[in-house]
Amino acid sequence: MNRKMWVAAALTLAGALPFTARAEIDKKIERLWKGKCAGCHGTDGKGQTDQGKKLGIKDYTTPEWQKSQTDAHIKAAVAEGVKGMDGYKDKLAPDQIDGLVAYVRALK
Ligand code: HEC
């Protein structure tokens, strides 16, 4: 291999490593969402569950909903709770809550 190819290979590797680490985190967060949140919000985040309908949970996959929320607001809602939902700050680690904020953000 010439020098250029080595550089290209090194860059590919450097790029690939954080990517696999991130995919692993996302898997855990996805499990968390399915285990703790999807019962009300639905696995797809549309809120079309029995609980979701009863509690009037909104569809979080719409651009309108996404636009109406800031990351800070979502984080506070998950940590402190809102009407109809208990806060998770005693049940989840801060990085899990951050992961869930990103997960909710990615619902589209
Ligand atoms: C017992 C049912 C229930 C569970 C379980 C639940 N939620 Fe909620 N959640 C609600 C209700 C009800 C609302 C308020 C209605 C709305 O905003 O759609 C809400 C609102 C939210 C909001 C929006 C807050 C706002 O001010 O609009 C976010 C974000 C959210 N939940 C995330 C989560 C996450 C993440 C989990 C899992 C850790 C979770 N929820 C678990 C019922 C639930």
Side-chain angles (χ1 to χ4, degrees), residues 32-33 36-41 51 55-58 60 65 69 73-74 77-78 82-85 88 92 100 104:
L32 210 58
W33 172 264
K36 294 208 185 296
C37 322
C40 292
H41 290 282
Q51 281 279 54
L55 296 166
I57 296 181
K58 297 181 206 78
Y60 296 173
W65 189 86
Q69 303 287 316
H73 179 93
I74 296 176
V78 177
V82 291
K83 196 165 179 292
M85 171 174 116
Y88 285 88
L92 297 175
L100 285 166
V104 167

Side-chain angles (χ1 to χ4, degrees), residues 25-66:
I25 292 171
D26 288 349
K27 273 252 153 55
K28 279 192 200 139
I29 296 297
E30 192 180 342
R31 275 201 293 273
L32 210 58
W33 172 264
K34 286 187 177 149
K36 294 208 185 296
C37 322
C40 292
H41 290 282
T43 33
D44 57 5
K46 288 179 189 285
Q48 291 300 307
T49 60
D50 289 346
Q51 281 279 54
K53 286 179 195 155
K54 206 162 65 194
L55 296 166
I57 296 181
K58 297 181 206 78
D59 181 350
Y60 296 173
T61 66
T62 65
E64 290 74 31
W65 189 86
Q66 289 287 340

Side-chain angles (χ1 to χ4, degrees), residues 90-102:
D90 298 332
K91 301 185 194 103
L92 297 175
D95 63 323
Q96 290 179 305
I97 292 180
D98 285 341
L100 285 166
V101 173

